[in-house]
Amino acid sequence: MQNEIKNILNLFNQKQFQKAKAIALNTLNKENDPQIYLILGMIQSELNEIDDAIESIRKSIKIKPINPDAYNNLGTIFNKIKNYDDAILNYKKAIENKNNYFQAYFNLGNSLSAKGLKEEAKKNYLKSIEINPEYYEANLNLGIIYHDEYLYDKAISCFKRAIQLRENSSPAYNNLGNSLLAKGEGANAIDTYLRGIEIDKNNFKIYSDLGNAYKLTGDHNNAIASIEKSIKLNPNFSENYSNLANIFNDIGEINKAIELYKLALKYNPKLTYINYNIAMIFYKLNQLETAIDYFKLSKFNDHEERILQCQYKLGLFEEFNKGLDKELEKPNTSRLVASLSAHASINLKQTNDYDFCKNPLDFILKEEVNDSSLLERLLRKVKENKINHRHQGLLNNGEQSSGNIFDLGDSDFTELRDAIFRFSEIYFNLFKDNECEFIRRWPKHKKIRGWYVNMKQNGFLKPHIHEGGWLSGSLYLSVPKKNKNQTQGNIEFGLHGYDYPIKKGKFEKKIINILKGDIVMFPSSLFHNTIPFKGEERICIAFDINP
């Protein structure tokens, strides 16, 4: 019997499934052996003969009730057909039969994870690793769960351990790069992706993620090249066309972006978020009715808030107020809705019931960075102009960097990031007694995005808000000279912007005088703009602290 088992397993490992199946069936005609039934079930599963596979393994269990491998394999078959409840049941029976069965704990974790039971999945991955610390797959999957929970340091630790266990693992490098990028270590993420590519030059996914990392660090050329390489390896991966479209949208090639977005939808009509991206383009082109149609198609992210904004700009105030009433029933945390509600309260003479930050002009704070060395180093970095620029329709006679400067791995930008976080604590402590959602829901886990804006003479930035931020701010590295009573180059705050219609009412404004080294912070829902200036330059680093 042992010779027959060895022969069948050799054929199975060689993927000669039909031949292995024939020998197994012939052997079973002579003797009902539980091991042969178990192997036959595995063969039938590979041949997608699922019902027969389940029956064969159950026969193995009937002959030999204490049979952990049979229960484990039966669980794997149920997992394969997405019958996770029966998979979980059988993995648990396998563990009852063999309490140190680390593979069964791992498989149980996979099925629990597929059901969305992440905490239970984690416990089983950890148990699998406790039994066998050198189990690569468990370390990898545990890291993926930590990443999904935004626990990036724990995820990074798991992926690094997986790489120690399997140095030639491209997926481990890919996942490590993703967590490093999410943590804000863009340069390290790029290096990690490149090491993964050295292992597997045909991994389209790692090229795709590398392209996104280049985009986030402002390197458009390498971003485009990487994503195009991914497309060459796998033309059917629809997300690549969307990611490529995002880059062309950033650099102002709108028609190319729309063409690529539509191509992505052609490959995968289920990617409805692409309709959102197209809607945003039409919004920026002021084709608001078309934008509304695409927002409705998308049903993605803040699409209802964006529809509200389009309705307001179109003067459809009745529809706007109906939508605003619905937003009031949700957590009052949308920076966009907060700005719309504040504007409408003045323009339409109605109450502002949206409780994000009803009086944002009272929440402006100016402090001073007293580190002249850091300021000079940052100014030099900006003037070196080594970061790609993005199209910015609100900016006149100036340049805005692309990507996130805090993802570059640059020590000066990292020092600035830490300083901004310290100033954000000063800000919070100053306003912490205020009763509004802006303070009540202050971000516990801070993420930061930053970019520089370099304006030349007569430059200015139109009124805008930072919908994606929570607390926004600017650090001023160079400001135009001005006389005592001049306001040129200063930052101006108000409740009006985005060319919203004005029927009546006066919109209050507040001008903050700025000098080199000043840092100004404010709620992301507050409109702000730059007053045009005469002089050589006005350079600042803007930032959003995000929830």
Side-chain angles (χ1 to χ4, degrees):
M1 184 61 67
Q2 290 303 312
N3 287 334
E4 285 87 345
I5 290 173
K6 185 177 180 180
N7 188 22
I8 296 167
L9 286 174
N10 284 336
L11 291 168
F12 179 87
N13 292 330
Q14 295 168 19
K15 300 187 183 302
Q16 297 185 43
F17 300 124
Q18 290 291 357
K19 195 170 183 180
K21 175 185 170 183
I23 296 174
L25 288 170
N26 185 55
T27 304
L28 287 168
N29 284 332
K30 302 172 186 175
E31 182 180 346
N32 281 341
D33 183 81
Q35 184 71 3
I36 299 291
Y37 272 119
L38 176 56
I39 298 169
L40 176 60
M42 294 162 57
I43 295 167
Q44 290 165 328
S45 176
E46 290 293 335
L47 293 169
N48 281 321
E49 298 170 356
I50 301 301
D51 290 341
D52 290 341
I54 292 170
E55 183 182 352
S56 294
I57 295 179
R58 281 177 171 164
K59 286 180 178 178
S60 175
I61 293 169
K62 187 175 181 179
I63 298 167
K64 183 183 176 185
I66 306 300
N67 201 334
D69 289 338
Y71 282 116
N72 184 58
N73 286 1
L74 189 55
T76 300
I77 293 171
F78 282 123
N79 189 76
K80 180 180 179 179
I81 61 175
K82 299 183 179 181
N83 182 348
Y84 300 120
D85 289 333
D86 281 343
I88 289 167
L89 181 67
N90 280 280
Y91 291 137
K92 286 181 175 179
K93 287 182 178 178
I95 292 166
E96 286 174 9
N97 284 189
K98 182 180 176 183
N99 61 12
N100 66 342
Y101 201 166
F102 64 89
Q103 297 97 329
Y105 279 109
F106 168 74
N107 290 333
L108 177 57
N110 289 343
S111 291
L112 289 164
S113 179
K115 284 196 69 175
L117 302 172
K118 302 297 184 181
E119 282 302 315
E120 289 300 310
K122 270 197 304 188
K123 290 176 184 177
N124 283 279
Y125 289 143
L126 287 166
K127 183 65 177 178
S128 179
I129 293 168
E130 179 188 328
I131 297 167
N132 182 3
E134 297 188 353
Y135 195 20
Y136 159 83
E137 287 83 357
N139 282 279
L140 184 69
N141 285 17
L142 179 61
I144 291 170
I145 288 187
Y146 282 137
H147 177 91
D148 291 343
E149 294 179 333
Y150 310 110
L151 300 172
Y152 300 124
D153 286 331
K154 287 187 175 182
I156 288 166
S157 177
C158 288
F159 296 138
K160 285 183 175 179
R161 175 61 177 154
I163 289 169
Q164 286 178 344
L165 296 169
R166 193 175 295 178
E167 293 182 357
N168 64 343
S169 170
S170 178
Y173 279 105
N174 198 163
N175 282 290
L176 176 58
N178 292 344
S179 290
L180 289 167
L181 188 63
K183 191 185 174 189
E185 297 183 20
N188 287 337
I190 288 169
D191 288 341
T192 302
Y193 291 136
L194 290 171
R195 276 182 278 169
I197 287 169
E198 287 176 8
I199 295 166
D200 183 1
K201 291 181 171 59
N202 294 315
N203 185 336
F204 74 91
K205 185 63 170 61
I206 200 166
Y207 274 108
S208 178
D209 292 337
L210 174 63
N212 288 330
Y214 278 129
K215 176 185 180 295
L216 288 172
T217 54
D219 188 343
H220 291 141
N221 292 333
N222 275 320
I224 291 169
S226 298
I227 295 173
E228 286 180 342
K229 175 67 175 178
S230 181
I231 290 171
K232 188 175 180 180
L233 290 168
N234 184 358
N236 297 319
F237 187 55
S238 54
E239 286 90 339
N240 272 332
Y241 300 103
S242 176
N243 293 336
L244 200 55
N246 291 338
I247 298 169
F248 283 109
N249 189 19
D250 266 3
I251 61 180
E253 294 192 29
I254 302 302
N255 291 331
K256 180 70 172 176
I258 292 175
E259 176 188 333
L260 285 162
Y261 283 136
K262 290 182 176 179
L263 190 57
L265 281 172
K266 177 183 175 183
Y267 279 101
N268 187 354
K270 293 181 180 179
L271 293 179
T272 54
Y273 70 84
I274 292 172
N275 287 310
Y276 180 93
N277 294 340
I278 296 172
M280 286 302 300
I281 289 176
F282 283 116
Y283 170 81
K284 290 173 183 176
L285 295 172
N286 208 36
Q287 297 180 30
L288 301 177
E289 292 92 346
T290 305
I292 288 173
D293 290 340
Y294 275 99
F295 281 130
K296 287 179 178 177
L297 280 172
S298 76
K299 293 183 172 59
F300 177 74
N301 200 13
D302 63 348
H303 73 284
E304 291 176 327
E305 300 166 23
R306 292 293 181 179
I307 291 170
L308 206 64
Q309 184 181 34
C310 291
Q311 289 170 335
Y312 191 74
K313 291 190 74 171
L314 287 166
L316 303 173
F317 299 127
E318 185 176 344
E319 292 91 331
F320 165 80
N321 275 322
K322 287 179 182 177
L324 181 58
D325 286 342
K326 291 181 181 178
E327 293 299 323
L328 288 169
E329 296 172 3
K330 305 173 186 176
N332 289 188
T333 56
S334 166
R335 282 69 79 196
L336 178 57
V337 176
S339 71
L340 286 164
S341 184
H343 195 280
S345 70
I346 299 168
N347 194 34
L348 305 180
K349 299 295 182 184
Q350 60 191 39
T351 59
N352 179 10
D353 295 321
Y354 200 80
D355 193 27
F356 177 70
C357 185
K358 292 182 180 180
N359 302 300
L361 287 166
D362 297 333
F363 286 75
I364 301 168
L365 175 65
K366 183 176 79 169
E367 293 284 334
E368 184 179 355
V369 174
N370 291 312
D371 188 337
S372 59
S373 173
L374 175 62
L375 294 173
E376 289 304 318
R377 281 180 275 129
L378 291 170
L379 182 60
R380 189 163 55 248
K381 288 274 167 63
V382 172
K383 287 187 172 184
E384 285 173 357
N385 206 25
K386 291 183 178 179
I387 305 173
N388 283 334
H389 301 135
R390 60 163 298 185
H391 174 71
Q392 170 54 283
L394 299 170
L395 179 61
N396 184 73
N397 201 25
E399 298 173 334
Q400 178 173 318
S401 63
S402 181
N404 183 358
I405 59 172
F406 298 116
D407 280 345
L408 294 172
D410 181 279
S411 59
D412 293 327
F413 289 134
T414 299
E415 187 176 345
L416 172 60
R417 179 199 66 193
D418 295 341
I420 290 171
F421 283 149
R422 289 195 296 273
F423 279 111
S424 74
E425 291 304 314
I426 294 171
Y427 182 98
F428 177 74
N429 287 325
L430 181 65
F431 295 107
K432 65 182 179 181
D433 294 330
N434 287 268
E435 286 295 322
C436 60
E437 295 295 80
F438 174 58
I439 297 300
R440 283 192 292 263
R441 295 177 183 261
W442 190 258
K444 293 180 181 177
H445 303 289
K446 297 187 184 72
K447 294 187 292 183
I448 188 168
R449 180 175 173 270
W451 59 97
Y452 69 72
V453 180
N454 186 350
M455 298 182 201
K456 304 302 180 184
Q457 180 163 294
N458 298 318
F460 63 89
L461 193 58
K462 294 178 182 178
H464 62 287
I465 66 170
H466 295 183
E467 295 94 325
W470 193 270
L471 176 70
S472 296
S474 297
L475 169 67
Y476 297 91
L477 304 177
S478 178
V479 297
K481 293 179 181 178
K482 51 183 177 281
N483 295 327
K484 185 177 180 181
N485 296 321
Q486 284 184 314
T487 61
Q488 67 166 359
N490 283 336
I491 185 169
E492 182 178 58
F493 295 94
L495 301 177
H496 175 68
Y498 286 158
D499 296 321
Y500 287 162
I502 297 179
K503 290 182 66 177
K504 59 185 75 173
K506 184 178 180 181
F507 292 87
E508 184 182 353
K509 294 181 179 180
K510 183 179 285 188
I511 295 174
I512 302 296
N513 184 53
I514 54 168
L515 300 171
K516 179 176 179 178
D518 286 344
I519 183 169
V520 181
M521 293 171 288
F522 48 92
S524 297
S525 61
L526 182 59
F527 279 107
H528 53 287
N529 60 279
T530 305
I531 298 174
F533 65 92
K534 292 182 180 179
E536 289 187 4
E537 62 185 11
R538 178 189 188 272
I539 298 175
C540 71
I541 291 177
F543 58 86
D544 286 333
I545 292 178
N546 306 310

PDB file of all heavy atoms in Angstrom, residues 138-159:
ATOM      1  N   ALA A 138       1.857  32.499   7.591  1.00  0.00           N
ATOM      2  CA  ALA A 138       1.121  33.097   8.714  1.00  0.00           C
ATOM      3  C   ALA A 138       1.641  34.503   9.017  1.00  0.00           C
ATOM      4  O   ALA A 138       0.861  35.416   9.301  1.00  0.00           O
ATOM      5  CB  ALA A 138       1.232  32.212   9.945  1.00  0.00           C
ATOM      6  N   ASN A 139       2.963  34.674   8.965  1.00  0.00           N
ATOM      7  CA  ASN A 139       3.528  36.017   9.173  1.00  0.00           C
ATOM      8  C   ASN A 139       3.046  36.987   8.102  1.00  0.00           C
ATOM      9  O   ASN A 139       2.710  38.144   8.398  1.00  0.00           O
ATOM     10  CB  ASN A 139       5.060  35.951   9.177  1.00  0.00           C
ATOM     11  CG  ASN A 139       5.623  35.440  10.489  1.00  0.00           C
ATOM     12  OD1 ASN A 139       5.745  36.185  11.453  1.00  0.00           O
ATOM     13  ND2 ASN A 139       5.959  34.158  10.526  1.00  0.00           N
ATOM     14  N   LEU A 140       2.996  36.517   6.857  1.00  0.00           N
ATOM     15  CA  LEU A 140       2.560  37.370   5.753  1.00  0.00           C
ATOM     16  C   LEU A 140       1.101  37.790   5.927  1.00  0.00           C
ATOM     17  O   LEU A 140       0.759  38.981   5.845  1.00  0.00           O
ATOM     18  CB  LEU A 140       2.745  36.635   4.427  1.00  0.00           C
ATOM     19  CG  LEU A 140       2.430  37.440   3.163  1.00  0.00           C
ATOM     20  CD1 LEU A 140       3.467  38.539   2.948  1.00  0.00           C
ATOM     21  CD2 LEU A 140       2.379  36.528   1.938  1.00  0.00           C
ATOM     22  N   ASN A 141       0.221  36.834   6.186  1.00  0.00           N
ATOM     23  CA  ASN A 141      -1.208  37.150   6.291  1.00  0.00           C
ATOM     24  C   ASN A 141      -1.531  37.966   7.535  1.00  0.00           C
ATOM     25  O   ASN A 141      -2.433  38.800   7.510  1.00  0.00           O
ATOM     26  CB  ASN A 141      -2.032  35.868   6.258  1.00  0.00           C
ATOM     27  CG  ASN A 141      -2.112  35.275   4.862  1.00  0.00           C
ATOM     28  OD1 ASN A 141      -1.321  35.629   3.995  1.00  0.00           O
ATOM     29  ND2 ASN A 141      -3.049  34.372   4.642  1.00  0.00           N
ATOM     30  N   LEU A 142      -0.806  37.734   8.614  1.00  0.00           N
ATOM     31  CA  LEU A 142      -0.994  38.551   9.809  1.00  0.00           C
ATOM     32  C   LEU A 142      -0.627  40.002   9.504  1.00  0.00           C
ATOM     33  O   LEU A 142      -1.332  40.940   9.912  1.00  0.00           O
ATOM     34  CB  LEU A 142      -0.132  38.015  10.956  1.00  0.00           C
ATOM     35  CG  LEU A 142      -0.211  38.789  12.276  1.00  0.00           C
ATOM     36  CD1 LEU A 142      -1.631  38.787  12.836  1.00  0.00           C
ATOM     37  CD2 LEU A 142       0.766  38.186  13.290  1.00  0.00           C
ATOM     38  N   GLY A 143       0.441  40.191   8.751  1.00  0.00           N
ATOM     39  CA  GLY A 143       0.851  41.541   8.359  1.00  0.00           C
ATOM     40  C   GLY A 143      -0.208  42.234   7.522  1.00  0.00           C
ATOM     41  O   GLY A 143      -0.454  43.437   7.676  1.00  0.00           O
ATOM     42  N   ILE A 144      -0.861  41.484   6.638  1.00  0.00           N
ATOM     43  CA  ILE A 144      -1.906  42.072   5.791  1.00  0.00           C
ATOM     44  C   ILE A 144      -3.067  42.577   6.645  1.00  0.00           C
ATOM     45  O   ILE A 144      -3.613  43.663   6.392  1.00  0.00           O
ATOM     46  CB  ILE A 144      -2.380  41.041   4.747  1.00  0.00           C
ATOM     47  CG1 ILE A 144      -1.258  40.789   3.720  1.00  0.00           C
ATOM     48  CG2 ILE A 144      -3.654  41.510   4.044  1.00  0.00           C
ATOM     49  CD1 ILE A 144      -1.516  39.617   2.795  1.00  0.00           C
ATOM     50  N   ILE A 145      -3.447  41.820   7.677  1.00  0.00           N
ATOM     51  CA  ILE A 145      -4.527  42.272   8.560  1.00  0.00           C
ATOM     52  C   ILE A 145      -4.103  43.523   9.326  1.00  0.00           C
ATOM     53  O   ILE A 145      -4.865  44.491   9.442  1.00  0.00           O
ATOM     54  CB  ILE A 145      -4.957  41.161   9.533  1.00  0.00           C
ATOM     55  CG1 ILE A 145      -5.721  40.067   8.775  1.00  0.00           C
ATOM     56  CG2 ILE A 145      -5.812  41.723  10.656  1.00  0.00           C
ATOM     57  CD1 ILE A 145      -6.336  39.013   9.655  1.00  0.00           C
ATOM     58  N   TYR A 146      -2.882  43.520   9.852  1.00  0.00           N
ATOM     59  CA  TYR A 146      -2.409  44.717  10.564  1.00  0.00           C
ATOM     60  C   TYR A 146      -2.429  45.939   9.628  1.00  0.00           C
ATOM     61  O   TYR A 146      -2.796  47.048  10.038  1.00  0.00           O
ATOM     62  CB  TYR A 146      -1.000  44.500  11.103  1.00  0.00           C
ATOM     63  CG  TYR A 146      -0.917  43.671  12.367  1.00  0.00           C
ATOM     64  CD1 TYR A 146       0.051  42.676  12.522  1.00  0.00           C
ATOM     65  CD2 TYR A 146      -1.799  43.900  13.429  1.00  0.00           C
ATOM     66  CE1 TYR A 146       0.140  41.927  13.680  1.00  0.00           C
ATOM     67  CE2 TYR A 146      -1.715  43.151  14.600  1.00  0.00           C
ATOM     68  CZ  TYR A 146      -0.749  42.161  14.717  1.00  0.00           C
ATOM     69  OH  TYR A 146      -0.664  41.427  15.875  1.00  0.00           O
ATOM     70  N   HIS A 147      -2.021  45.737   8.379  1.00  0.00           N
ATOM     71  CA  HIS A 147      -2.035  46.840   7.413  1.00  0.00           C
ATOM     72  C   HIS A 147      -3.453  47.366   7.224  1.00  0.00           C
ATOM     73  O   HIS A 147      -3.682  48.583   7.230  1.00  0.00           O
ATOM     74  CB  HIS A 147      -1.472  46.373   6.070  1.00  0.00           C
ATOM     75  CG  HIS A 147      -1.514  47.423   4.996  1.00  0.00           C
ATOM     76  ND1 HIS A 147      -0.469  48.287   4.768  1.00  0.00           N
ATOM     77  CD2 HIS A 147      -2.490  47.762   4.114  1.00  0.00           C
ATOM     78  CE1 HIS A 147      -0.795  49.111   3.788  1.00  0.00           C
ATOM     79  NE2 HIS A 147      -2.018  48.813   3.372  1.00  0.00           N
ATOM     80  N   ASP A 148      -4.407  46.461   7.066  1.00  0.00           N
ATOM     81  CA  ASP A 148      -5.805  46.862   6.866  1.00  0.00           C
ATOM     82  C   ASP A 148      -6.371  47.589   8.081  1.00  0.00           C
ATOM     83  O   ASP A 148      -7.327  48.368   7.957  1.00  0.00           O
ATOM     84  CB  ASP A 148      -6.669  45.645   6.551  1.00  0.00           C
ATOM     85  CG  ASP A 148      -6.364  45.051   5.177  1.00  0.00           C
ATOM     86  OD1 ASP A 148      -5.730  45.756   4.360  1.00  0.00           O
ATOM     87  OD2 ASP A 148      -6.742  43.893   4.933  1.00  0.00           O
ATOM     88  N   GLU A 149      -5.785  47.341   9.249  1.00  0.00           N
ATOM     89  CA  GLU A 149      -6.213  48.016  10.482  1.00  0.00           C
ATOM     90  C   GLU A 149      -5.413  49.293  10.753  1.00  0.00           C
ATOM     91  O   GLU A 149      -5.540  49.890  11.813  1.00  0.00           O
ATOM     92  CB  GLU A 149      -6.060  47.065  11.677  1.00  0.00           C
ATOM     93  CG  GLU A 149      -6.995  45.873  11.629  1.00  0.00           C
ATOM     94  CD  GLU A 149      -6.812  44.921  12.804  1.00  0.00           C
ATOM     95  OE1 GLU A 149      -5.687  44.874  13.355  1.00  0.00           O
ATOM     96  OE2 GLU A 149      -7.782  44.240  13.158  1.00  0.00           O
ATOM     97  N   TYR A 150      -4.585  49.701   9.772  1.00  0.00           N
ATOM     98  CA  TYR A 150      -3.748  50.903   9.881  1.00  0.00           C
ATOM     99  C   TYR A 150      -2.665  50.768  10.948  1.00  0.00           C
ATOM    100  O   TYR A 150      -2.087  51.777  11.374  1.00  0.00           O
ATOM    101  CB  TYR A 150      -4.598  52.158  10.160  1.00  0.00           C
ATOM    102  CG  TYR A 150      -5.772  52.304   9.220  1.00  0.00           C
ATOM    103  CD1 TYR A 150      -7.083  52.124   9.672  1.00  0.00           C
ATOM    104  CD2 TYR A 150      -5.581  52.608   7.872  1.00  0.00           C
ATOM    105  CE1 TYR A 150      -8.170  52.240   8.808  1.00  0.00           C
ATOM    106  CE2 TYR A 150      -6.655  52.724   7.000  1.00  0.00           C
ATOM    107  CZ  TYR A 150      -7.947  52.535   7.480  1.00  0.00           C
ATOM    108  OH  TYR A 150      -9.007  52.649   6.618  1.00  0.00           O
ATOM    109  N   LEU A 151      -2.378  49.540  11.366  1.00  0.00           N
ATOM    110  CA  LEU A 151      -1.310  49.298  12.345  1.00  0.00           C
ATOM    111  C   LEU A 151      -0.027  49.008  11.562  1.00  0.00           C
ATOM    112  O   LEU A 151       0.464  47.881  11.502  1.00  0.00           O
ATOM    113  CB  LEU A 151      -1.687  48.133  13.270  1.00  0.00           C
ATOM    114  CG  LEU A 151      -2.966  48.342  14.084  1.00  0.00           C
ATOM    115  CD1 LEU A 151      -3.353  47.063  14.823  1.00  0.00           C
ATOM    116  CD2 LEU A 151      -2.787  49.489  15.080  1.00  0.00           C
ATOM    117  N   TYR A 152       0.498  50.075  10.953  1.00  0.00           N
ATOM    118  CA  TYR A 152       1.555  49.887   9.958  1.00  0.00           C
ATOM    119  C   TYR A 152       2.863  49.381  10.563  1.00  0.00           C
ATOM    120  O   TYR A 152       3.574  48.597   9.933  1.00  0.00           O
ATOM    121  CB  TYR A 152       1.774  51.193   9.193  1.00  0.00           C
ATOM    122  CG  TYR A 152       0.537  51.654   8.458  1.00  0.00           C
ATOM    123  CD1 TYR A 152      -0.010  52.907   8.677  1.00  0.00           C
ATOM    124  CD2 TYR A 152      -0.109  50.805   7.556  1.00  0.00           C
ATOM    125  CE1 TYR A 152      -1.154  53.322   8.010  1.00  0.00           C
ATOM    126  CE2 TYR A 152      -1.250  51.209   6.890  1.00  0.00           C
ATOM    127  CZ  TYR A 152      -1.771  52.468   7.127  1.00  0.00           C
ATOM    128  OH  TYR A 152      -2.904  52.873   6.478  1.00  0.00           O
ATOM    129  N   ASP A 153       3.197  49.814  11.776  1.00  0.00           N
ATOM    130  CA  ASP A 153       4.450  49.332  12.383  1.00  0.00           C
ATOM    131  C   ASP A 153       4.394  47.821  12.616  1.00  0.00           C
ATOM    132  O   ASP A 153       5.377  47.109  12.356  1.00  0.00           O
ATOM    133  CB  ASP A 153       4.708  50.056  13.704  1.00  0.00           C
ATOM    134  CG  ASP A 153       5.161  51.496  13.497  1.00  0.00           C
ATOM    135  OD1 ASP A 153       5.780  51.761  12.453  1.00  0.00           O
ATOM    136  OD2 ASP A 153       4.877  52.347  14.352  1.00  0.00           O
ATOM    137  N   LYS A 154       3.256  47.324  13.095  1.00  0.00           N
ATOM    138  CA  LYS A 154       3.105  45.883  13.295  1.00  0.00           C
ATOM    139  C   LYS A 154       3.122  45.150  11.960  1.00  0.00           C
ATOM    140  O   LYS A 154       3.708  44.055  11.842  1.00  0.00           O
ATOM    141  CB  LYS A 154       1.809  45.590  14.048  1.00  0.00           C
ATOM    142  CG  LYS A 154       1.843  45.968  15.518  1.00  0.00           C
ATOM    143  CD  LYS A 154       0.591  45.494  16.251  1.00  0.00           C
ATOM    144  CE  LYS A 154       0.696  45.763  17.742  1.00  0.00           C
ATOM    145  NZ  LYS A 154      -0.492  45.272  18.478  1.00  0.00           N
ATOM    146  N   ALA A 155       2.471  45.734  10.949  1.00  0.00           N
ATOM    147  CA  ALA A 155       2.469  45.109   9.623  1.00  0.00           C
ATOM    148  C   ALA A 155       3.890  45.025   9.079  1.00  0.00           C
ATOM    149  O   ALA A 155       4.312  43.982   8.565  1.00  0.00           O
ATOM    150  CB  ALA A 155       1.581  45.913   8.671  1.00  0.00           C
ATOM    151  N   ILE A 156       4.633  46.116   9.202  1.00  0.00           N
ATOM    152  CA  ILE A 156       6.014  46.152   8.702  1.00  0.00           C
ATOM    153  C   ILE A 156       6.854  45.085   9.394  1.00  0.00           C
ATOM    154  O   ILE A 156       7.653  44.390   8.745  1.00  0.00           O
ATOM    155  CB  ILE A 156       6.609  47.562   8.915  1.00  0.00           C
ATOM    156  CG1 ILE A 156       5.966  48.541   7.925  1.00  0.00           C
ATOM    157  CG2 ILE A 156       8.127  47.560   8.755  1.00  0.00           C
ATOM    158  CD1 ILE A 156       6.211  50.002   8.253  1.00  0.00           C
ATOM    159  N   SER A 157       6.673  44.926  10.699  1.00  0.00           N
ATOM    160  CA  SER A 157       7.410  43.903  11.444  1.00  0.00           C
ATOM    161  C   SER A 157       7.104  42.505  10.906  1.00  0.00           C
ATOM    162  O   SER A 157       8.022  41.676  10.729  1.00  0.00           O
ATOM    163  CB  SER A 157       7.060  43.993  12.925  1.00  0.00           C
ATOM    164  OG  SER A 157       7.706  42.987  13.663  1.00  0.00           O
ATOM    165  N   CYS A 158       5.826  42.233  10.628  1.00  0.00           N
ATOM    166  CA  CYS A 158       5.436  40.912  10.091  1.00  0.00           C
ATOM    167  C   CYS A 158       6.043  40.674   8.710  1.00  0.00           C
ATOM    168  O   CYS A 158       6.536  39.581   8.417  1.00  0.00           O
ATOM    169  CB  CYS A 158       3.922  40.803  10.013  1.00  0.00           C
ATOM    170  SG  CYS A 158       3.108  40.637  11.612  1.00  0.00           S
ATOM    171  N   PHE A 159       5.985  41.681   7.845  1.00  0.00           N
ATOM    172  CA  PHE A 159       6.501  41.505   6.489  1.00  0.00           C
ATOM    173  C   PHE A 159       8.017  41.334   6.485  1.00  0.00           C
ATOM    174  O   PHE A 159       8.566  40.557   5.699  1.00  0.00           O
ATOM    175  CB  PHE A 159       6.087  42.685   5.606  1.00  0.00           C
ATOM    176  CG  PHE A 159       4.598  42.810   5.418  1.00  0.00           C
ATOM    177  CD1 PHE A 159       3.967  44.041   5.471  1.00  0.00           C
ATOM    178  CD2 PHE A 159       3.817  41.676   5.187  1.00  0.00           C
ATOM    179  CE1 PHE A 159       2.598  44.155   5.301  1.00  0.00           C
ATOM    180  CE2 PHE A 159       2.441  41.782   5.020  1.00  0.00           C
ATOM    181  CZ  PHE A 159       1.835  43.023   5.075  1.00  0.00           C
TER     182      PHE A 159
END
